[in-house]
Amino acid sequence: MTESPLSAAPATGTPTAALLIIGNEILSGRTQDANLAFIARHLSGLGAPLREVRVVPDVEEEIVDAVNALRTRYTYVFTTGGIGPTHDDITAECIAKAFGLPLIRHPEAVRRLEAHYAGTALLNEARLRMANTPEGARLIDNPVSAAPGFQIGNVFVMAGVPSIMQAMLVTLDDRLAGGPKPLIRSIISSLPEGSFADGLRALAADHPAVDIGSYPSFRQGRVSTALVLRTTDPAALDAALTAVLALLQGLGADPTVVEGYGEA
């Protein structure tokens, strides 16, 4: 049976997500992306971890290719940027092409824009372009500036402006089927990571159910390291935590354990 282009990718095991950042201004360095960290942390908290991030320019072919590659590989795909009123805001058109759907002017999106701009004489054709979506799309609420994002299949199209994107993302929690929530512990040590790298390599191999990351820091001439342990298995976390502490203490360190992402 042929899958409908509107259907979401089937969720098997832990849901996974990808982020597609769209915009020449990101690639040129003119604008610094401020959305990735918020999205990654929010999705992690839902149990749908972010597994890949791509940045593409405002070029139709590259956007279409990236959307089609990501939506078949991950449970959810989120895009940011390119849904404004100007000529280089081409995301809606590209998403429609990726799904093989016509681009329409969504009646409910038009209604929301008309209500938002009522009495201002500011609702022109350029702003009405923000009501364009692929046929069959479901709108994503925009509590900040009214112009909605949209969902088609497993792709969620959001604004690039951080305050608007964040407001959009938090409205989607009831549409996202999350998996087990990650358990996170950080171990803060005054030792530089080169002092325990060999031992940590062996330890990580002994605890494959736990993701162990090492993050050095240099502040005011002092070196420190945060070791971050992530897993959904409480017993595996306890075992890995005990082993890491023993490794550091055996090297003369006095490590500190904190919940979540600690800073060295």
Side-chain angles (χ1 to χ4, degrees):
M1 182 175 67
T2 301
E3 182 186 5
S4 165
L6 303 185
S7 62
T12 56
T14 300
T16 57
L19 172 62
L20 180 62
I21 302 169
I22 300 169
N24 292 339
E25 69 279 8
I26 301 295
L27 290 168
S28 71
R30 181 187 183 280
T31 300
Q32 183 175 349
D33 177 74
N35 292 323
L36 170 56
F38 184 90
I39 292 171
R41 288 179 183 267
H42 189 78
L43 294 178
S44 178
L46 295 176
L50 192 63
R51 293 302 189 206
E52 184 174 347
V53 179
R54 297 191 189 187
V55 184
V56 296
D58 299 307
V59 176
E60 180 182 281
E61 181 180 2
E62 297 198 31
I63 297 171
V64 170
D65 287 349
V67 168
N68 281 333
L70 295 173
R71 73 186 179 95
T72 58
R73 184 174 181 181
Y74 299 99
T75 316
Y76 306 117
V77 178
F78 299 86
T79 78
T80 60
I83 57 172
T86 59
H87 72 284
D88 56 346
D89 291 314
I90 61 172
T91 298
E93 294 95 316
C94 294
I95 300 295
K97 185 170 184 178
F99 278 84
L101 295 169
L103 186 73
I104 67 163
R105 185 147 292 177
H106 197 293
E108 172 59 18
V110 171
R111 187 199 67 77
R112 294 185 188 188
L113 290 171
E114 288 176 341
H116 180 73
Y117 288 105
T120 67
L122 294 176
L123 186 57
N124 54 20
E125 176 59 26
R127 289 190 172 95
L128 281 170
R129 287 187 68 241
M130 296 188 291
N132 292 346
T133 71
E135 187 174 52
R138 181 180 178 184
L139 298 183
I140 298 174
D141 292 339
N142 175 357
V144 177
S145 60
F150 61 86
Q151 174 192 353
I152 193 79
N154 63 332
V155 178
F156 299 82
V157 178
M158 303 182 295
V161 177
S163 60
I164 300 175
M165 185 285 300
Q166 292 175 19
M168 287 182 170
L169 183 62
V170 298
T171 71
L172 297 176
D173 289 1
D174 62 347
R175 304 190 199 182
L176 306 175
K181 307 298 188 294
L183 303 169
I184 304 168
R185 296 292 184 274
S186 291
I187 303 172
I188 313 302
S189 168
S190 59
L191 290 177
E193 60 181 359
S195 299
F196 54 78
D198 290 340
L200 188 64
R201 183 179 297 108
L203 190 154
D206 290 339
H207 298 270
V210 181
D211 176 62
I212 304 175
S214 177
Y215 307 98
S217 178
F218 303 89
R219 295 179 182 171
Q220 298 180 337
R222 300 179 63 183
V223 178
S224 59
T225 307
L227 295 172
V228 180
L229 284 63
R230 287 173 47 95
T231 182
T232 58
D233 183 335
L237 179 63
D238 288 343
L241 184 65
T242 298
V244 173
L245 288 173
L247 171 66
L248 296 175
Q249 290 165 347
L251 294 171
D254 184 19
T256 301
V257 179
V258 296
E259 186 172 352
Y261 293 99
E263 293 188 5

